[in-house]
């Protein structure tokens, strides 16, 4: 019995872990590599295993850096089931279709650019995404299910996005039993809408995410104060607020928090645009799965017929509606994808408004190295969009406290609550974050910590 680290090794994206028990193989996660174009080209690399030989796939949540290569896996011959929470299955129906559509459009543009040369094929298309969706098998939290000979799966609530899960995989070979725990992405305690990550009671090896393993988030109260201050400052300047947002999780959190602080932040004075068809669809999914909310959010949801529809929120679905937003020169709050400013409608709004000193850009999520969002966070004076050099005169705010990822203290607390201090391998983080978390795990908790490299095999 062993697990091989085939993605998210000393980097944040591209989660992929191959578990072997006897003659059987289970893949945990099948995510896209995200970031610079050079990094993303590796998504087309052949899988380092035969998809036809896989017995099952376990998916912890819907974000594309965990799920985004599933259509390619199915096209390459995987014929088993993808086991995941039912809310994740619903979200993936949206995310994978959207990813395929964008890949098709990118391929069309590149083919036109090349002219008479060989046409460019997308990594996968919408038909591949539909085929992958047929492989999904919905699992509830706490439900123990046999996924192949010698392997059983139980999902625990991870508190990261709707349906996110910690995967407990029990393995048995020739009378020997082992339990592998894959954290997926863990949420920050007391985050809006969702419950806190569940504690795991036993493990023989933990694959632990480390995205924010080297830092602490601001307390929630300070984060709400910070956002309120940004909105007050923007009102005084008379400009707009642009919020690059992940369509799943972050967009819904922002709408929820806006509803909680509507009067306090003077939001009735603004026009608010959710400018993302995918985020609008994901918001509908969030509204259907209120039973996995925390107690406060369940009460809030139950009091409203349309819980995320504030009185002055416009859900802009069409390109024409999105383009019309740019005619609004002040007191518009625009929530649009992509979350790292690497594509989508937010890039058009940045193109129109980054040069305006009255514009405020609120960065509310992780920005991978090589992305335009990371460049803004790092203080870029010019941003290249659509082949143009756009001057950055807008004020950039990095609201780190709104992260959906556990910070260092929360990661230590989650692992520290496990009896026996099982061995832990750190994944899903940049090396600086991993090394900092590894040091704290060793020094504070006496943990046996590995920071595995790409392709490394860990015996169970």
């Amino acid at each position: 019995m062993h697990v091989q680290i085939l993605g998210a090794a000393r980097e944040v994206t591209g989660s992929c872990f191959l578990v072997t028990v006897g003659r059987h193989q289970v893949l945990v996660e099948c995510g896209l590599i995200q970031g610079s174009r050079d990094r993303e080209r590796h998504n087309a690399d052949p899988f380092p295993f035969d998809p036809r030989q896989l017995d099952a796939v376990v998916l912890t949540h819907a974000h594309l850096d965990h799920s985004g290569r599933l259509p390619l896996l199915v096209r390459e011959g995987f014929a088993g089931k993808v086991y995941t929470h039912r809310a994740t299955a619903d979200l993936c129906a949206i995310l994978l279709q959207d990813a395929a559509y964008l890949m098709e459009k990118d391929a069309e543009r590149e083919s036109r650019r090349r002219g008479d040369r060989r046409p460019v094929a997308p990594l996968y298309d919408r038909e591949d995404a539909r085929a992958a969706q047929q492989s999904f098998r919905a699992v509830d939290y706490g439900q123990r299910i046999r996924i192949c000979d010698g392997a059983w799966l139980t999902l625990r609530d991870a508190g990261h996005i709707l349906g996110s899960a910690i995967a407990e995989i029990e393995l048995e070979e020739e009378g020997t039993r082992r339990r592998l725990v894959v954290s997926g992405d863990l949420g920050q305690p007391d985050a809006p809408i969702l419950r806190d990550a569940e504690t795991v009671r036993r493990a023989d090896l933990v694959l632990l995410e480390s995205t924010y393993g080297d830092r602490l988030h601001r307390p929630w109260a300070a984060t709400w104060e910070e956002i309120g201050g940004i909105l007050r400052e923007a009102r005084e300047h008379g400009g707009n607020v642009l919020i690059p947002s992940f369509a799943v999780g972050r967009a819904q959190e922002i709408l929820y928090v806006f509803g909680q602080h509507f009067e306090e932040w003077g939001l009735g004075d603004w026009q608010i645009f959710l400018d993302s068809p995918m985020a609008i669809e994901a918001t509908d999914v969030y509204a259907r799965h209120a039973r996995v909310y925390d107690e406060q959010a369940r009460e809030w949801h139950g009091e409203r017929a349309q819980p995320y529809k504030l009185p002055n929120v416009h859900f802009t679905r069409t390109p024409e509606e999105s383009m019309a937003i740019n005619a609004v020169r002040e007191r518009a709050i625009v929530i649009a994808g992509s979350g790292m400013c690497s594509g989508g409608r937010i890039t058009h709004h940045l193109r129109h408004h980054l040069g305006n000193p009255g514009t405020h850009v609120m960065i509310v999520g992780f920005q991978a190295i090589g992305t335009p969002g990371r460049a803004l966070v790092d203080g870029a004076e010019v941003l290249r969009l659509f082949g143009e050099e756009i001057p950055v005169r807008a004020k950039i705010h990095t609201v780190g406290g709104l992260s959906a990822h556990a910070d260092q203290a929360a990661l230590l607390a989650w692992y520290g609550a496990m009896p026996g201090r099982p061995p832990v391998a750190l994944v899903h983080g940049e090396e600086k974050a991993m090394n900092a978390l590894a040091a704290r795990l060793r020094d504070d908790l006496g943990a046996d910590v590995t920071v595995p490299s790409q392709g490394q095999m860990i015996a169970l």
Side-chain angles (χ1 to χ4, degrees):
M1 292 180 281
H2 57 261
V3 57
Q4 189 175 15
I5 310 301
L6 297 175
R10 306 185 189 190
E11 62 178 325
V12 172
T13 65
S15 283
C16 189
F17 316 113
L18 184 64
V19 179
T20 299
V21 53
R23 294 179 291 105
H24 300 281
Q25 293 184 325
V26 175
L27 192 68
V28 183
E29 321 281 52
C30 192
L32 282 173
I33 299 166
Q34 297 171 314
S36 67
R37 287 192 176 275
D38 286 341
R39 293 291 303 129
E40 290 182 356
R41 287 192 185 98
H42 289 289
N43 287 312
D45 292 349
F47 289 108
F49 51 82
D50 185 350
R52 296 169 298 179
Q53 298 301 314
L54 294 176
D55 292 272
V57 172
V58 173
L59 178 62
T60 64
H61 66 284
H63 280 153
L64 290 175
D65 57 333
H66 293 254
S67 69
R69 292 183 85 198
L70 285 171
L72 190 59
L73 190 78
V74 172
R75 194 178 72 195
E76 294 295 321
F78 171 65
K81 296 294 183 185
V82 177
Y83 295 92
T84 195
H85 190 273
R86 61 185 65 253
T88 296
D90 286 350
L91 290 174
C92 278
I94 301 167
L95 278 165
L96 295 178
Q97 278 292 310
D98 183 76
Y101 170 78
L102 294 175
M103 290 173 188
E104 290 173 3
K105 291 301 181 184
D106 285 346
E108 288 173 11
R109 282 192 291 270
E110 183 62 18
S111 294
R112 286 196 299 270
R113 189 186 69 81
R114 293 187 181 191
D116 295 333
R117 288 180 288 171
R118 184 179 174 185
V120 176
L123 184 67
Y124 55 80
D125 59 25
R126 281 171 283 181
E127 186 57 40
D128 295 323
R130 280 189 287 270
Q133 198 63 36
Q134 299 304 309
S135 302
F136 279 60
R137 165 89 183 264
V139 180
D140 289 322
Y141 293 135
Q143 178 185 1
R144 185 176 183 268
I145 185 170
R146 180 178 173 274
I147 56 176
C148 70
D149 287 347
W152 294 262
L153 171 68
T154 305
L155 299 180
R156 308 290 182 190
D157 196 338
H160 173 61
I161 63 168
L162 191 78
S164 59
I166 300 156
E168 295 183 19
I169 304 173
E170 300 168 65
L171 304 169
E172 182 176 3
E173 182 182 353
E174 297 180 355
T176 299
R177 289 178 175 266
R178 294 288 184 269
R179 182 173 300 197
L180 171 68
V181 171
V182 182
S183 73
D185 286 348
L186 298 175
Q188 185 73 351
D190 300 320
I193 302 176
L194 302 178
R195 298 184 295 237
D196 291 352
E198 291 186 62
T199 299
V200 173
R201 294 300 175 191
R202 188 169 73 80
D204 294 295
L205 175 67
V206 180
L207 298 189
L208 177 60
E209 71 118 322
S210 54
T211 308
Y212 285 108
D214 61 342
R215 69 197 79 174
L216 301 177
H217 298 321
R218 299 187 73 184
W220 289 113
T223 297
W224 308 146
E225 184 178 343
E226 180 182 10
I227 293 173
I230 294 168
L231 294 174
R232 284 192 297 273
E233 185 180 348
R235 185 190 292 112
E236 292 169 5
H237 287 174
N240 293 337
V241 177
L242 305 182
I243 307 179
S245 175
F246 299 105
V248 176
R250 190 51 40 79
Q252 293 74 38
E253 285 180 351
I254 292 168
L255 291 176
Y256 174 81
V257 170
F258 278 5
Q260 298 290 300
H261 298 269
F262 192 81
E263 298 295 336
E264 176 190 349
W265 293 347
L267 287 166
D269 297 335
W270 297 81
Q271 293 188 74
I272 304 171
F273 298 91
L274 182 60
D275 188 28
S276 165
M278 183 166 60
I280 294 167
E281 288 186 71
T283 301
D284 290 339
V285 174
Y286 261 69
R288 294 201 303 268
H289 287 276
R291 66 193 185 95
V292 300
Y293 291 5
D294 64 20
E295 184 176 354
Q296 180 182 7
R298 283 199 306 273
E299 291 177 2
W300 167 83
H301 181 278
E303 293 170 357
R304 292 163 174 78
Q306 294 179 300
Y308 294 93
K309 195 79 167 69
L310 302 177
N312 54 340
V313 166
H314 308 277
F315 285 1
T316 52
R317 291 177 168 84
T318 69
E320 292 76 19
E321 290 173 324
S322 177
M323 287 186 284
I325 296 171
N326 287 314
V328 182
R329 305 307 298 179
E330 62 178 346
R331 294 206 179 177
I333 299 172
V334 184
I335 307 164
S338 68
M340 298 186 191
C341 308
S342 54
R345 292 182 177 182
I346 194 64
T347 56
H348 295 275
H349 298 302
L350 291 170
R351 181 187 189 186
H352 280 85
H353 295 287
L354 267 183
N356 179 3
T359 298
H360 291 252
V361 180
M362 195 186 304
I363 303 293
V364 294
F366 180 81
Q367 306 298 311
I369 291 173
T371 61
R374 182 63 167 260
L376 290 175
V377 168
D378 290 343
E381 296 181 357
V382 173
L383 200 66
R384 188 168 183 82
L385 295 170
F386 305 102
E388 301 176 33
E389 299 288 334
I390 309 296
V392 180
R393 300 191 184 99
K395 188 163 184 181
I396 311 300
H397 307 267
T398 303
V399 184
L402 202 58
S403 174
H405 283 271
D407 65 6
Q408 185 188 77
L411 292 169
L412 290 169
W414 182 80
Y415 172 81
M418 280 187 217
R421 303 287 194 268
V424 57
L426 298 182
V427 294
H428 227 279
E430 294 172 2
E431 281 200 66
K432 179 175 175 287
M434 285 184 167
N435 292 335
L437 182 60
R440 289 294 305 275
L441 286 165
R442 292 186 188 108
D443 296 345
D444 296 4
L445 300 174
D448 176 6
V449 186
T450 302
V451 180
S453 55
Q454 180 74 8
Q456 185 170 332
M457 202 164 306
I458 305 172
L460 286 158

